[in-house]
Amino acid sequence: MMQLIWNGLIVGSFYALVALGYSMVYGIIKLLNFAHGDIYMLGAFVGFFTLSAFGISNETSIPLLLVVLLLSMVTTGLIGVGIERIAYRPLRRSPRLAVLITAIGVSFTLEYGVRQIFGPNPEAFPIRLESSGFDVLGMRVTASQIVLVVIAAVLMLVLAHIVERTRQGRAMRAIALDPTGAQLMGVNVDRVIAMVFFIGSALAGAAGVMAGAYYGSIDFLMGFIIGLKAFTAAVIGGIGNLYGAMLGGVLLGMLESFGSAWFGGEWRDVFAFGFLILFLTLKPTGLLGARVVERM
Amino acid sequence: MVRDLDHALKHVSLRAPAPRFERPRPPRGVFTSQQGFMRALGVGAVLLVAVLPFMDASRYTMSIATSALIYVMLCMGLNVVVGYAGLLDLGYIAFFAVGAYISGIFTTVLGWPMWAALIATIVACVTAGIIIGAPTLRLRSDYLAIVTLGFGEIIRITANNLKITGGPSGIHGIPTWSFGPWSFDDGFNLFGIDFPERVVFYYFVAAVVIVVGVIGAGRLAKGRLGRAWKAVRDDEDAAEAMGINTYIAKISAYIIGAVWAGMAGQLMATHLSAISPNSFQFLYSALILMAVVLGGMGSTPGVIIGALFVSLAPELLRDFAEWRYLIFGVLLVVVMLFRPSGLWPATAVLPWLRRTRPTPPAFTEATAVPASVMESVDGTPTTDAHEGDRA
């Protein structure tokens, strides 16, 4: 029982990190960034590439993981900004369908670009976390799992600080409320949106590296399912709401953990998507989302 | 003053003037009208499809031609959903899977003949369309996209996990079409030409279904329902204000898309005689979407070209096969950025029929209101400056 909760918490913290980026981008420009899951995959591959370039493999050091994490975050953040600049910004005033299709194109490009570079087979992530652990409250916990959860928590706290306490964060919230109004008040909308993409992509990249270290193997399609699940998490929590994304991520992690324990692991994804559909049908604003009035 | 006005109006005719140019008759003929040309093109395409097996009936050609036709069917169905009704469906392959699995299960497990399975397929697809569409079509368009994506995965994973669908290895030995004692495996002799290969029969069955499917979808789009779809696509609120039941319009587009995909799925199941969950990955939903977008959303010739490109390019260009998904991804972005209406836009006009708006007749002395009239109407003499402004 406790074990299920703990496992759910770890997976849920990955979901939450990816969901944050989804939710931020959606909150600010109402765009479903389908490529977001693939940024997560890119994060893992950036980590893999740097470590392989230095000839490191089967390492267990946690400081090294942190360095790689930081590096991946910066790289994926910049990639996210580049994607926004090339693919999304020119279409900001087009019909929604056009941007959605573009986002799928970007997702495809990232996935199969990585496939062409690294090959279709899964790669072993060079940092492996040691599996020795200790028993607390009837659940098996390893030190590295705690590190992962702590990293995720710290990143979320930093994000919450940025959004709620800084000037840039205020600009983000202003744009989410009313882009034109924010622009009239002197907010540099393009720059703030680029920054949102940077932060969101960096978080996804961090989740990618952490997942690589946690699961041990990475492949070019790893972002697809997690993108879908992170969206589910964002919807469960209330899309556009940061704490909602965090809550939704952890909740989804737990639901899956229990769901696969009760129904069998092969139904895990069905369970998660079933929840997505249930939530969208019954409560599209999610648990913490405010009621949104469509403006025409 | 009043007498002046009367005097002035004497020059103004109260009758509508006779048309300056005779109203042109709507052109007919193959090369002089858009409609005629498109019809001729359609007839030509049907003839080409019908003649192909007589030119090259090798197993390989027939096989890829059948696959290409099935792609055309799928793309026409998705075109109804995405192109006409403007609903982004990212799990479209799920209906293809439903069609393939239903026909596979009914013919192998229950032993139904293929024509009965076809009816079952259609019923199942309508049901699936309602089940998936009813709760989700009230959502915003981008939620719909991701929910359909989720449904696509659910169907695939379910097919992978259930026993009746054969699990990961799928269903084998799906029988061919049979009518009473005679089935496609027996071969046939028509006008002295022997059709020993059942592949050729599938090709013909596929061809007939697809021709009907393409024409049907095209004609639906021109009717009342089709106009409702396009109105909903262009502006849902305005469409609703005009009295269109947008929910019914959307769900009917969804159901028609589902039926088209289901029939394509059944054709695929009999064509390959084996199906497995791997054929129904998200990848294929994206490929079909790619074909529709590339060709031109809402444009029948465009979608057919897109479908043929997506299905035949990897066969014809072997080097391309390795890179195709990357290229498709980049193409999707590039097309959306620079040519969002696709290769053959739905509003395309043949280049030689393209006309600019007729230029209004030039301002000449003859058309000008006589200077004396102007003078008397506003009571001031017209000046040269006035004339200069108007010219």
Side-chain angles (χ1 to χ4, degrees), chain A residues 26 116 231 239 266 280 294, chain B residues 140 143 146-147 161 322:
Chain A
Y26 188 87
Q116 290 305 326
F231 178 80
I239 198 156
E266 71 269 27
L280 278 179
E294 280 275 313
Chain B
R140 296 163 34 121
Y143 281 8
I146 206 130
V147 170
N161 291 346
E322 171 84 353

Side-chain angles (χ1 to χ4, degrees), chain B residues 189-212:
Chain B
N189 194 305
L190 180 75
F191 308 129
I193 304 163
D194 211 26
F195 290 106
E197 293 276 10
R198 61 185 234 177
V199 199
V200 182
F201 285 109
Y202 288 141
Y203 175 81
F204 276 120
V205 171
V208 170
V209 173
I210 275 106
V211 166
V212 172

Side-chain angles (χ1 to χ4, degrees), chain A residues 22 26 30 32 34 86-87 90-91 96-98 100-102 104-106 108-109 112-113 115-116 224-225 228 231 239 266-267 269-270 273-274 277 280-281 284 294 296, chain B residues 82 86-88 90 135 139-143 145-147 149-151 153-154 157-158 161-162 237 282-283 286 289 293 297 322-323 325-326 328-330 332-333 336-337:
Chain A
Y22 243 125
Y26 188 87
K30 303 281 173 280
L32 261 190
F34 279 106
I86 295 170
L91 292 170
R96 211 171 259 158
L97 190 66
L100 284 173
I101 292 171
T102 314
I104 295 167
V106 171
F108 246 61
T109 311
Y112 288 91
R115 182 183 184 270
Q116 290 305 326
F224 170 63
I225 284 287
L228 210 49
F231 178 80
I239 198 156
E266 71 269 27
W267 292 103
D269 293 350
V270 172
F273 303 144
I277 292 156
L280 278 179
T281 323
E294 280 275 313
M296 289 169 28
Chain B
V82 176
L87 310 163
L88 186 54
L90 292 179
L139 301 173
R140 296 163 34 121
S141 58
D142 33 14
Y143 281 8
I146 206 130
V147 170
L149 184 57
F151 260 118
E153 283 298 295
I154 288 180
I157 297 169
T158 310
N161 291 346
L162 287 181
D237 299 308
F282 166 68
L283 185 65
L289 180 71
V293 171
M297 286 181 281
E322 171 84 353
W323 289 87
Y325 297 125
L326 180 57
F328 286 162
V330 175
L332 212 51
V333 176
M336 270 331 231
L337 285 180

